């Protein structure tokens, strides 16, 4: 098979397009012929060594959709020929991957492989953020960063489905229009004004109930300042770099809640994955949730996909196609 492999951590250039032996499905695994693989910021963290550097050499990527071609010993969750999608299955930047069968979810009829791959990691992330990490209620005011990005677009739509008033931040006028099209009530261009001051103005000084922040170092302090009393700071990513250690006293003046969640902790078993992906797929099928696939790169162009993602040159989801 062809795959992207990295022998060291570093910039996008460490990812090489190579030919490797096909993997063999072990006990409890299924072999998936990949039709589309998702590109996510967690891939960037792994490639650069920011978070939990992989054992090298390694094939990046943890999300894809495809067809089951072989089964390992003891697999009962899927059958050969099934159309499936998954997240948290390392080695997805490849033509073939051996994946724990309990993580494989059926792609509903009417959805494409591209939609299946685009819905899993970002879709389930947005789903757990608004339903479990902080369960949005009608009337809540939510601050969502990067409203034109892959997760940001989905978060806005899901928060609106839950009855929230949404304030979002973007960097350009073009991205502002995208965020508005997803349902954002207020769009703040952080390149032109302080978003925490804008939040105070919009909320008459009360602040927001929850801030969903995947940007990290450059937005953390202002996100904290944007919260109201007993507000929730949900720091689920660090696109601009990790947040320095936070003194506990930071939370004291307004009795704030702070969490640094990951999708893995909210998809601990097959039932959880089935519930979360099932709701996402149903929202897509009903038209309540609209995916945005901004670009599909050939697998060999994975380095360019990373460059564009890190350079914030994209909106919506990036995919690789073997």
């Amino acid at each position: 098979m062809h795959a992207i492999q990295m022998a060291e951590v570093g910039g996008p250039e460490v990812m090489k397009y190579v030919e490797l032996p096909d993997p063999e499905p072990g006990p409890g695994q299924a072999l998936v012929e990949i039709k589309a693989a998702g590109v996510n910021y967690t891939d960037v963290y792994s490639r650069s060594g920011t978070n939990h550097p992989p054992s090298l050499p390694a094939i990046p990527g943890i999300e894809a959709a495809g067809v089951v071609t072989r089964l390992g010993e003891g697999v009962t969750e899927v059958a050969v020929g099934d159309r499936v999608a998954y997240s948290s299955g390392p080695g997805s930047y490849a033509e073939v991957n051996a994946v724990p069968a309990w993580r494989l979810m059926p792609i509903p009829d009417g959805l494409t492989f591209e939609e299946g791959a685009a819905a899993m990691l970002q879709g389930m992330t947005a789903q757990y953020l608004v339903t479990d990490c902080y369960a949005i209620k009608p009337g809540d005011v939510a601050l969502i960063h990067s409203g034109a990005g892959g997760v940001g677009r989905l978060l806005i739509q899901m928060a609106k489905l839950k009855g929230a008033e949404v304030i979002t931040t973007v960097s350009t006028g073009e991205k502002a229009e995208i965020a508005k099209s997803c349902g954002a009530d207020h769009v703040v261009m952080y390149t032109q004004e302080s978003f925490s001051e804008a939040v105070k103005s919009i909320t008459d000084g009360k602040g927001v109930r929850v801030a969903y922040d995947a940007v990290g170092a450059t937005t953390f302090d202002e996100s904290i300042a944007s919260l109201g009393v007993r507000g929730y700071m949900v720091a689920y990513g660090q696109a601009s770099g990790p947040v320095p250690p936070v003194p506990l006293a930071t939370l004291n003046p307004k009795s704030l809640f702070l969490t640094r969640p990951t999708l893995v902790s909210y998809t601990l078993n097959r039932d959880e994955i089935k519930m979360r992906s099932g709701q996402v797929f149903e929202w897509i099928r009903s038209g309540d949730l609209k995916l945005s696939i901004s670009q599909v790169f050939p697998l060999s162009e994975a380095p360019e996909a990373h460059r564009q993602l890190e350079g914030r040159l994209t909106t919506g989801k990036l995919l690789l196609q073997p």
Side-chain angles (χ1 to χ4, degrees):
M1 69 172 184
H2 287 97
I4 295 293
Q5 188 181 62
M6 45 185 280
E8 59 183 327
V9 297
E13 69 280 357
V14 303
M15 296 190 295
K16 308 297 183 182
Y17 186 63
V18 298
E19 191 167 353
L20 299 170
D22 285 2
E24 291 290 325
Q29 292 184 325
L31 204 63
V32 178
E33 180 185 345
I34 294 175
K35 302 296 185 182
V39 179
N40 299 285
Y41 243 99
T42 187
D43 306 341
V44 173
Y45 300 153
S46 296
R47 187 213 73 221
S48 64
T50 302
N51 273 5
H52 309 296
S55 298
L56 299 172
I59 299 173
I62 61 171
E63 173 190 46
V67 178
V68 175
T69 58
R70 289 176 59 192
L71 302 179
E73 182 182 350
V75 171
T76 59
E77 297 89 346
V78 295
V80 171
D82 283 355
R83 301 169 68 247
V84 295
Y86 67 87
S87 179
S88 301
S92 298
Y93 287 14
E95 293 177 332
V96 182
N97 194 19
V99 184
W102 66 272
R103 290 194 171 278
L104 297 172
M105 293 294 119
I107 300 174
D109 293 341
L111 268 63
T112 65
F113 289 115
E114 290 75 18
E115 290 170 321
M120 289 300 287
L121 189 146
Q122 292 182 345
M124 289 197 296
T125 294
Q127 193 274 346
Y128 88 75
L129 288 174
V130 303
T131 61
D132 292 88
C133 198
Y134 173 75
I136 287 184
K137 301 178 294 295
D140 283 341
V141 183
L143 172 63
I144 296 172
H145 287 297
S146 304
V151 176
R153 289 185 179 200
L154 301 178
L155 266 177
I156 291 171
Q157 294 177 71
M158 291 184 193
K160 294 303 295 180
L161 286 172
K162 295 288 184 178
E165 179 180 351
V166 173
I167 304 170
T168 192
T169 64
V170 297
S171 59
T172 68
E174 178 186 1
K175 291 182 178 181
E177 291 304 313
I178 291 171
K180 290 176 185 176
S181 73
C182 293
D185 299 285
H186 312 277
V187 181
V188 180
M189 290 182 60
Y190 67 85
T191 50
Q192 298 182 5
E193 61 178 321
S194 161
F195 69 80
S196 61
E197 290 300 317
V199 165
K200 289 178 183 177
S201 176
I202 292 168
T203 62
D204 295 325
K206 295 178 182 177
V208 299
R209 184 64 174 147
V210 59
Y212 294 110
D213 190 336
V215 180
T218 61
T219 54
F220 183 85
D221 290 342
E222 275 200 82
S223 291
I224 289 285
S226 299
L227 292 169
V229 174
R230 300 201 302 269
Y232 285 73
M233 176 62 188
V234 182
Y236 70 98
Q238 52 185 43
S240 69
V243 176
V246 180
L248 193 59
T250 301
L251 312 178
N252 184 52
K254 292 186 281 188
S255 298
L256 302 178
F257 298 85
L258 168 62
T259 181
R260 177 62 173 91
T262 64
L263 178 60
V264 171
S265 297
Y266 285 83
T267 52
L268 292 177
N269 53 57
R270 185 168 178 80
D271 286 341
E272 278 196 325
I273 299 174
K274 187 175 182 179
M275 178 271 290
R276 299 197 191 286
S277 64
Q279 185 167 59
V280 172
F281 284 142
E282 182 53 38
W283 278 336
I284 295 170
R285 291 183 66 180
S286 68
D288 288 329
L289 185 66
K290 293 179 172 57
L291 293 175
S292 173
I293 299 172
S294 61
Q295 197 164 352
V296 179
F297 293 86
L299 178 62
S300 59
E301 294 182 16
E304 180 59 25
H306 275 224
R307 291 187 189 97
Q308 294 202 20
L309 183 62
E310 288 182 276
R312 300 187 184 185
L313 302 177
T314 64
T315 61
K317 183 73 175 184
L318 299 182
L319 297 177
L320 300 176
Q321 195 167 56

